[in-house]
Structure formats: C-alpha cells, structure tokens
Amino acid sequence: MFKSKTKYTWEGWDSSGREDWVFNVKHPCELIGVHAKLIDNQLREGEKIEYCIYAPRISSTSTPFGFKSEESSCGVCMTDNRFIVTKNRHIKDIAPSLTSIDFKDIVYFNIGSALLLSWVSIAYVQDGKLQQMPILFGSNGRHHFEKALRAYKKYCLGLNTEEFNFDTFSASGFIHKISDNIHRSHLKTLISQNERCILTFSCQYLWHKVTENRSLFRKSRESYVASKATVLFTSKALLIARDGLGTSVGNCANALNIPLDKVSSLFFLEEKENDNAIHKLRINFIKEKDPLDISLMSLDEKAEIFLNNIQSLLGDTKQKEEQR
C-alpha cells in the first residue's frame, strides 16, 4: 500500500485524475494530487473544516441543464464560512485553479443528475458580477455533495416560523407529500437539520417560448416548452426540482435551492397568454443586481394564495442577512 512520508497522505502518488470513485476525507491533507496542498495552504487559522470531497474527472463537460465545465479532477473543502474549490485539468502547462467562495457571496445553488452524470453549480457574486462554479462528477458520489450542501445550509438564516400562522413539518413527516419519486429523492436530501417544511406543489416549469408558423391566412401561435416540476418551500429555502427535456425526461432532474436569507424581495405575477395562466416569480437578491425570473404553469389555488403572500414572510431573514 502507498505510504507518504509527509503530512499529505498521497504526496508522491502520480494521480491521473481518473480514479474510480468520489470520496470524502476529514482534512484536505488527505485529498489526492495537487488538491491537498492547494487547499491546505489556503486555510486560515482557526477555520473549521466541515466537509472535504475529492471528485475525479469524467469525460462529460456539459449537462442537460446548461452547466459546463472543463474535464478536470476537483477538490472541494467546505469550512464554517466558505467553499474552497480546486480544479486540475491534468494538462501540461495549464496550472490548477483555486476558487474561494464566501458564504455571504453565495446567491443560490443547483444540484442534479442524469444517469451516471451528476453536477453541482454554486452561483455567487464576485466583483459585482454573478459567477457560476460548476462541478461535474460521477453519480455514485452525489450523496457526498448533498451532505456538504446540507452542512452549508445550517449556516443559512431561516424564518421564525412561530411568528406566522401556518403549520410547519419535519422533513420525515412531510416529504411523502411530494408525489414525483425522482423529485422527492432530489429534494429530501437537501433539507438540513432543523429545517422545517411549509408547502409543496406540483406544476409545469416553463423553459422558453416557441413560435408555431401557420398558413398565410392564419396568425402564428406562440407556445411554451415545459417540463414537470415540484416546488418546495421550507423555513430556509425555496427549492424547485424540474425534469429535463426531450429524451432525458424521467432520467434527468435538477434541483434549484434559493436560500431565503439571500432574497430581498419576491414578486408573484399572473399573465394570460393564449388562454393559459402563466405564473411568474421575480426573485431579487440582496447582493446580485439582476433578478432571477421563473415561469410556472398549472398551479393550484392553495399555491397561488401562498405565493401571493410570500413577500411578507421574507422581511425577517432579509433584515438579519443585511446585519451580518
């Protein structure tokens, strides 16, 4: 068995970045390849390590949801105040990269899978601009990234549910209300300890418009490309799980997690288009100047009433986040 002579467990091991498994370690020094030294040297005195992951490179460089990344092995270290991500493309003359993402700069994150491919993408603000940190990895390691994201969420501020007149539920007592098995699987693994579930509903997620060209004497007609989605509102986040399009339906899903303490305002509008009710969520963030627009269809009455009143719930978390 290989044995290092230094504090770095795998120093001297010639890593190709094509190891067979995604794994977690207790300290960055146990990571494979260049990731160990890069992250260890970045740690600050007194910084608490929450979770460390090594993910070997895979051949895929893009996902069905548009997230793209170069083929590279990755090291991820989550501490008590930031994510440290290293990437090594294993190409001569291309140096490994390191990115530090403070919790205060995170806006939202995505996690999803399509058969053997999985991904995480962290959206964060750097120098006033929204950036994405996508990480692609084998699906056999998805549970490690889910655990890291749950650990991050314990640092997110939540609603004081006792102030509002509605029932809340533990994840174990609520998750069965999500009817779609794949969406349920993706969402339940993102609910952190002490996070309370408030409402869930099924709907259609609208991707984009398409124009149907008709004959000379008939007007063109616009319609939407949509996929099945599930919305989950908790004491800490707005989560939306949605299917992929085309042949990926049933095999591909992505979950968006928007921490409520990152949201400054949320507007809910209803528009009529071609006899269809289009429900639009416009989410404004405390740090990011550009809003996130989400369009949904097929909402039930209970969901509409809740979303119309959602803005009144956000004041408490917004005030706490701005005071940080």
Side-chain angles (χ1 to χ4, degrees):
M1 181 178 176
F2 178 82
K3 189 173 182 180
S4 172
K5 296 181 180 180
T6 72
K7 70 173 183 176
Y8 300 107
T9 305
W10 296 97
E11 186 168 19
W13 175 273
D14 186 17
S15 171
S16 66
R18 295 193 182 278
E19 291 77 17
D20 293 331
W21 69 102
V22 178
F23 62 87
N24 76 297
V25 296
K26 293 182 178 180
H27 193 277
C29 289
E30 301 173 66
L31 294 171
I32 287 179
V34 299
H35 307 286
K37 282 187 177 180
L38 284 174
I39 295 178
D40 182 50
N41 292 335
Q42 176 73 198
L43 291 174
R44 302 163 184 152
E45 185 177 354
E47 196 166 12
K48 179 184 176 184
I49 297 169
E50 290 280 0
Y51 210 76
C52 288
I53 304 170
Y54 173 77
R57 55 179 169 158
I58 57 175
S59 58
S60 298
T61 57
S62 63
T63 77
F65 289 83
F67 304 113
K68 297 180 180 181
S69 179
E70 300 88 357
E71 183 179 328
S72 57
S73 62
C74 296
V76 179
C77 179
M78 197 206 95
T79 74
D80 55 351
N81 56 64
R82 59 177 172 155
F83 283 93
I84 306 171
V85 181
T86 53
K87 291 188 175 185
N88 185 11
R89 296 183 63 186
H90 300 270
I91 297 176
K92 187 178 180 180
D93 299 327
I94 297 181
S97 65
L98 183 146
T99 304
S100 176
I101 306 172
D102 290 347
F103 288 170
K104 63 182 177 60
D105 295 326
I106 294 176
V107 181
Y108 54 83
F109 65 78
N110 286 272
I111 180 169
S113 63
L115 298 177
L116 299 179
L117 170 67
S118 287
W119 59 87
V120 165
S121 185
I122 302 173
Y124 64 101
V125 175
Q126 183 181 60
D127 299 327
K129 295 182 179 180
L130 186 68
Q131 307 286 344
Q132 292 280 352
M133 172 53 69
I135 302 169
L136 277 58
F137 54 92
S139 290
N140 60 357
R142 198 179 89 192
H143 62 288
H144 289 304
F145 285 90
E146 291 167 341
K147 188 171 182 178
L149 293 172
R150 289 197 303 272
Y152 156 70
K153 288 181 70 176
K154 76 180 184 182
Y155 292 98
C156 296
L157 301 175
L159 299 172
N160 183 358
T161 55
E162 295 180 358
E163 292 184 5
F164 303 101
N165 187 26
F166 49 68
D167 297 327
T168 64
F169 307 87
S170 65
S172 59
F174 187 86
I175 207 69
H176 68 277
K177 295 184 178 183
I178 298 176
S179 58
D180 187 282
N181 292 335
I182 295 176
H183 294 176
R184 187 191 313 124
S185 173
H186 278 72
L187 293 172
K188 72 178 181 181
T189 56
L190 297 179
I191 301 174
S192 59
Q193 188 176 9
N194 299 323
E195 187 172 0
R196 303 289 292 177
C197 298
I198 298 172
L199 177 74
T200 186
F201 58 88
S202 299
C203 58
Q204 292 287 311
Y205 179 92
L206 305 186
W207 290 72
H208 53 79
K209 283 183 180 180
V210 293
T211 301
E212 179 186 349
N213 293 319
R214 298 193 170 190
S215 65
L216 180 64
F217 302 103
R218 300 177 67 189
K219 292 182 179 180
S220 297
R221 180 183 177 90
E222 289 186 335
S223 60
Y224 278 94
V225 176
S227 64
K228 186 165 55 173
T230 300
V231 176
L232 173 62
F233 192 85
T234 74
S235 58
K236 287 193 172 186
L238 172 64
L239 301 100
I240 303 176
R242 53 183 169 139
D243 286 348
L245 292 175
T247 57
S248 63
V249 172
N251 299 319
C252 170
N254 180 83
L256 167 66
N257 185 108
I258 303 173
L260 297 182
D261 61 356
K262 306 298 183 180
V263 176
S264 61
S265 62
L266 192 154
F267 298 100
F268 179 66
L269 303 172
E270 181 179 333
E271 298 179 358
K272 291 286 186 179
E273 295 188 19
N274 299 325
D275 299 325
N276 293 317
I278 310 298
H279 304 278
K280 296 187 176 183
L281 287 174
R282 167 156 287 193
I283 303 170
N284 294 297
F285 298 99
I286 295 172
K287 283 218 162 191
E288 165 61 6
K289 63 180 180 179
D290 295 326
L292 176 65
D293 291 324
I294 298 172
S295 295
L296 306 172
M297 285 180 62
S298 306
L299 273 64
D300 60 28
E301 184 179 0
K302 184 178 180 181
E304 289 187 37
I305 293 172
F306 181 84
L307 291 174
N308 272 312
N309 293 285
I310 195 173
Q311 177 59 41
S312 63
L313 307 178
L314 299 178
D316 186 47
T317 55
K318 175 187 174 184
Q319 184 178 13
K320 290 178 181 177
E321 175 67 14
E322 290 176 337
Q323 290 173 351
R324 281 185 172 183

